[in-house]
Each structure stands twice: as structure tokens, then as C-alpha cells.
Amino acid sequence: MTSRAVATTAARRLLELAARLGVDYFFTNLGSDHPAFIEAFAAIDGEGTAMPRIVVCPHEMTALTAAHGYAMVTRRPQIVLVHVDVGTQNLGCSLHNASRGRVPAIIVAGLSPVTVSGNRAGARTEFIHYTQDAPRQHEIAAQYMKWTYELRAPEMLDNVLMRAMQVATTAPEGPIYLTGAREVWEGPAEPLPDEALEHWSPARLGGLREEAVAELHGALSQARRPLVLTTYLGRNQAAVGRLVELSERLGLPVAEIAPQYVNFPGGHPHHAGYRRNALVADADLILMLDVDVPWIVSRTGPAAGARLFHIDADPVKEGMGFWHFPAHRSYLADSDYVLRQLLDYGRDRAEPVPAERLRWIAEARQRVAAAPLPSLSVRQGGITVRQLTEAVGELVNDRTVIVCEEPSGTETILSTLRLNRPGSYYVNGGSGLGWGINAAVGVKLADPGAEVIALSGDGSFLFGVPSSTYWVAQTYGAPILTVVYNNRGWNSPKVSTNLVHAHSTAKSRDRYWITVADGARLADIAAAAGGAAAFRVSEGQALRGTLQEALETVRAGRSAVVEVMLDPISEQVLA
């Protein structure tokens, strides 16, 4: 008597196909909807066949945000497996961040079982299968997703996953939310023929029509005071070199506006700084390349008669609410492709950069450099944001990757570090705090040879659920160095209040701001939960030595957190 082969379940087929598609990791927090997956993990592991590496995360913030960081480095979506509606809710602001950051990710959530008789594998067996049966679970995440879908039949697994990968990786990239009931994941799933898997490639953006290239090149060449603004061009690292070449050929100053990547070398003589509003009103041509908020309308605006061009993978920002910045020409296009078009078009038209243009670049750089950076008033001997960042800068080498989430210090950090190498800097494209330390783990997994340094505000550190972050970093061999800029309070809401109420009566009333007492030991959270080495610095003379010791700890394979005590939050206005 021969035994009958057991059919591949939809859960197992998801693992097998994901590995074939280049998914390296499943980031997950498992629940009662995942027996089919847990059985598949064990079966594949026992057989020694290929599947993504399973990274169990104590909190879902770590799961999706680590996948976010991984995708920023690789541009490949990873899979995040979460537990029904409650696990989806625990993803929290990481949904917003993945959407605004335009990173591909596949979120898979179970649904409560549908059947109650017990005759089908996966039917209801626990009381929570009633309480967790949300009638519209997908709506928790829907407004942040490029596509949401329920797998209703296990035999459709290949088609649905291929569709999800295609949508996630088509520009503008973004996250996908898939669901399936427990019975569906237990059901048999037959694979598609190999040739059918080749028909799901992502749609690619193109460039500009010939006449548009000619118009834009002519406008850039003829302008007296051109300005390029960019935020996320550097997600394609090859585009950085092309922008440098175009800038040098035509004489174009480039300002990085809340950059999510290195878009232009910070030390280049044409780099016009990181000030969002500083040069907008003086330029007679503004080229916006992959940028969300080129200026703040209430603070500044383009000069009358200035020519405005916008080239973007997402030029009208359909995923946002109200959004508008004027542009005479707005193009849905691949900015890297357009840069190549401009370089090719101008190859036989090259002329020396006019002296007037060079003076404009020098003037723009001088004006931005002369403007005071946001700063905190400090006691004598206290550590400032700039001093701390200068000390961090001494650690930077050709393997360093900075992951930054220090909201009120970002501009000072950028202006101090001035990183040059594409792929050496990442920041959140959204505003959901807690991103940085978890994204750093994903960056380290994507680039094991990198020395990853996470720069975090004290609030960002706490929002990141560090008890989860550092457990994952230690368990899965992804040590990172974290530097906590602890100004002992939530400075950002105080800044926001001061921007609206210049003579705020709340200024002297600290009870309205969350503050962290001097006795709080944030680094110890990481030490207790994940075995990280904890350091605390309050005086400048100990700063450099402590940072170096912490970095050596990371090089030896153990995460380290250096909590640096800045002076308490004070009045500060961001440019």
C-alpha cells in the first residue's frame, strides 16, 4: 500500500514562491491564524529546501519597519506576516511610513476562520475566533495601501502573490495588504507553470518626449539663477552621479529638501544645503526632482516669472489629501531616465558655465551657510546637537550607513555630516516616529558589511518599542549602534506651538510638554530586552571615547546604545 502525497498548502506555497521571487525575509509576529504557516516553516526547514528567513518580532512596529529599511537598500519587497485585525492595528504608524516612503512591502494578515463545524482544517477552535472576526479588517490599512485583497481560494495563491509583487514594485512603489481566512491557508495550492511566472513584471516609467527634453534643457541652460530641489531621487543610487554630471555641465545648485537618501554629495561645491525655504524666492527657474514638499507656502514662494518644472514618480501625490505646488510643466517620469535624456541631448551642445551662474551658486551656498541652524540654549559644558553630531562624524568611514530620526535636529545633523556616498543615509519618508531604530535593523540585514549608526531622538527611541528592536537585532545577528539625542522632552510639539503662537503663554509651562526626567535610563531598555551594551553620556569630555567604545562593541557583534544627555527642551524655531 502506497501513501498518498500531501498537497502543498497555500501557506507553504506562499513561502516557496516568495523565496523564488527574491524575498529574503518573513518578518512576523505569529498568532492563532497562523498554524498553516508554522507547519510550513517546520516542514520546509526539515527538508532543507529554500524559503525566506523567518524573523520573529515581538512587536509589529519592528516587523514592517525592518522590512521598510531593507527595501530602501535593496528596492525588493519583503513579507510581513501579522495576526488578524489586532496585529494589523499594531503595525500602527509603520503603515503610514511605508506608504509615504514609497517602499515596496507585502503585508499578509490572517482572518478569523469562517467555518464553525470543525470539518475543515483551520475551522474555529478558540473563543477569540469570534471576537477577532472584524467585518472590514482591510479598512484598518486600506488608505495607506497600493492594493488590498483577500485570498478567497487557495489555488489562486500564485496569481494573487504575483499580482501583489507587481503592484508593489511598480512606481510609485508601495505596500500591499493581503488577507486570507485560516481555512484558505490550510487548503491545497497548485503552482503556476514556470513560464506563467514571467508575465508579472512591474510596469516601468519612461522619460520625456523629445520636445519636452529640448524645452527643459533650454530652460536650464538659459536661466540666470536656476535651482534644483530633490528629496528621494537617491533611492536609485545611479541617478546621483547623473545629477552631479548635469549640475557640473550646466552649473546647477542642488538643495536637498528633507532628504530620505543621499541625493547629491554633501561636500560638492554645487550643493546648496538642506534649507527648505532659503533660495526659492530668488531662483528664476526651479526644477523639482522627486520631492514632496519643496517649500512651505506660508513662508515663501517662487518669484513672479520663475519657470517651474516638476519631474517625479509621483507628481500629483494621489495618496495625500490636499496637495498643490505650482508647476508650468509636471511630468510622471523616471527622474534618472530624464537625467540621462538631458545629458544625451546636451552632449553636443556643451558650453562653458557662465560666470554669472557660478556667482549665483557661490552666493546661494554662502547665504545658506550664513543662516543660523536650529539650536538649543545649553549650559556651560553642556552638549549641543552640533557637537554630538561632529563626534558621530568622526566615526564615519566608507562602510558607515546613517539612519536618522531626530526630528528637531535633522537639519543640523545633515549640515554637519554632509554625507557624500549614495546609500550612506536613510530617513523616514513619513512622520510616524519610532521608525529609525527598527529601520536600522532592516538596513543591517540588507547590508551585513555596513556599520549602521541609528541617530534617534529620545521620543523616537521610545516610540520604536526598543524592547522589540534590540531583541531582534541580537537574535538575528544584526548589531547596530544607536545614538540617542536625549533633550529630555518632546521638542517638536513645542516648536510647532511657537511657530503658530510667537508669544505663547505655554512657553513657561512645562507640564504641557512630555519630559523625560534626568533619572530615566533609555539605553537600559535595550540592554534588558536585547542584550545591547548601554552607555550614558552627560559631559562633553567623555563623548568621543564613549562613542568609539560603543562602535567597537558593535564591530564585535553586539548592539550598543549611547544615550547622550542634551540640555532640556527650549524655545526653538525651525527654518
Side-chain angles (χ1 to χ4, degrees), residues 376 379 381-389 391-392 406 454-458 461 481-489 518 520-523 534-544 546-547 550 561-568:
L376 296 172
R379 57 187 165 79
I383 302 170
T384 68
V385 171
R386 179 182 284 279
Q387 289 169 342
L388 173 52
T389 307
V392 170
E406 211 298 336
L455 307 182
S456 176
D458 50 307
F461 183 82
L481 170 60
T482 303
V483 180
V484 180
Y485 287 62
N486 189 350
N487 60 20
R488 292 172 258 189
D518 288 343
R521 305 188 67 89
L522 302 184
F535 302 86
R536 198 166 190 260
V537 180
S538 57
E539 298 296 337
Q541 59 265 31
L543 182 57
R544 282 167 170 78
T546 303
L547 288 173
V561 178
V562 182
E563 181 182 1
V564 180
M565 305 305 292
L566 306 175
D567 267 12

Side-chain angles (χ1 to χ4, degrees), residues 109-408:
L111 298 172
S112 277
V114 176
T115 58
V116 297
S117 65
N119 295 327
R120 290 184 62 182
R124 294 187 177 187
T125 54
E126 303 172 53
F127 81 94
I128 58 173
H129 295 151
Y130 291 87
T131 59
Q132 290 176 342
D133 189 6
R136 298 182 301 281
Q137 181 177 307
H138 67 282
E139 291 183 9
I140 299 169
Q143 67 175 313
Y144 298 107
M145 298 297 108
K146 284 196 71 180
W147 185 54
T148 64
Y149 195 72
E150 179 185 347
L151 178 67
R152 300 168 194 147
E155 62 267 27
M156 287 298 293
L157 186 281
D158 277 28
N159 290 276
V160 170
L161 182 59
M162 294 301 296
R163 165 79 168 154
M165 295 288 287
Q166 181 184 49
V167 175
T169 55
T170 293
E173 298 158 308
I176 305 299
Y177 185 73
L178 301 179
T179 58
R182 202 164 70 155
E183 299 96 328
V184 174
W185 296 118
E186 295 280 0
E190 293 298 323
L192 287 176
D194 287 350
E195 59 270 18
L197 298 178
E198 301 173 2
H199 302 158
W200 296 89
S201 59
R204 299 299 181 192
L205 288 178
L208 305 185
R209 296 177 61 161
E210 185 176 346
E211 60 269 24
V213 174
E215 179 190 30
L216 178 54
H217 190 278
L220 290 168
S221 301
Q222 295 161 18
R224 297 173 57 207
R225 299 182 306 280
L227 177 64
V228 179
L229 304 176
T230 183
T231 294
Y232 54 93
L233 173 82
R235 72 193 187 284
N236 180 348
Q237 295 182 18
V240 177
R242 281 185 260 276
L243 181 56
V244 169
E245 185 178 351
L246 186 69
S247 169
E248 292 174 346
R249 184 184 296 179
L250 298 182
L252 304 175
V254 178
E256 294 187 88
I257 307 303
Q260 298 165 25
Y261 305 83
V262 172
N263 305 291
F264 197 81
H268 193 281
H270 291 185
H271 195 289
Y274 306 92
R275 279 287 166 97
R276 189 185 304 275
N277 302 311
L279 302 170
V280 169
D282 299 298
D284 64 352
L285 180 146
I286 299 176
L287 172 58
M288 296 166 271
L289 286 177
D290 292 326
V291 61
D292 286 332
V293 186
W295 58 84
I296 302 298
V297 175
S298 64
R299 307 283 296 278
T300 191
R307 301 195 68 185
L308 308 172
F309 295 84
H310 188 186
I311 299 167
D312 205 315
D314 187 15
V316 294
K317 322 294 180 189
E318 293 115 317
M320 299 183 189
F322 178 77
W323 181 96
H324 175 72
F325 291 88
H328 296 104
R329 300 283 187 271
S330 182
Y331 296 105
L332 173 63
D334 181 335
S335 291
D336 180 48
Y337 194 100
V338 173
L339 289 171
R340 280 183 282 170
Q341 288 182 297
L342 290 168
L343 289 168
D344 289 343
Y345 182 86
R347 210 168 297 283
D348 299 327
R349 298 172 172 82
E351 297 180 359
V353 177
E356 181 183 27
R357 186 78 63 86
L358 295 176
R359 284 195 297 272
W360 157 243
I361 295 174
E363 177 190 341
R365 285 172 54 86
Q366 183 178 15
R367 183 182 309 171
V368 171
L373 286 168
S375 61
L376 296 172
S377 59
V378 296
R379 57 187 165 79
Q380 187 174 0
I383 302 170
T384 68
V385 171
R386 179 182 284 279
Q387 289 169 342
L388 173 52
T389 307
E390 287 172 346
V392 170
E394 294 174 11
L395 306 179
V396 173
N397 57 52
D398 59 4
R399 293 191 297 135
T400 303
V401 178
I402 299 291
V403 179
C404 184
E405 189 182 29
E406 211 298 336
S408 56

Side-chain angles (χ1 to χ4, degrees), residues 89 118 380 509:
Q89 290 168 328
Q380 187 174 0
R509 301 177 185 271

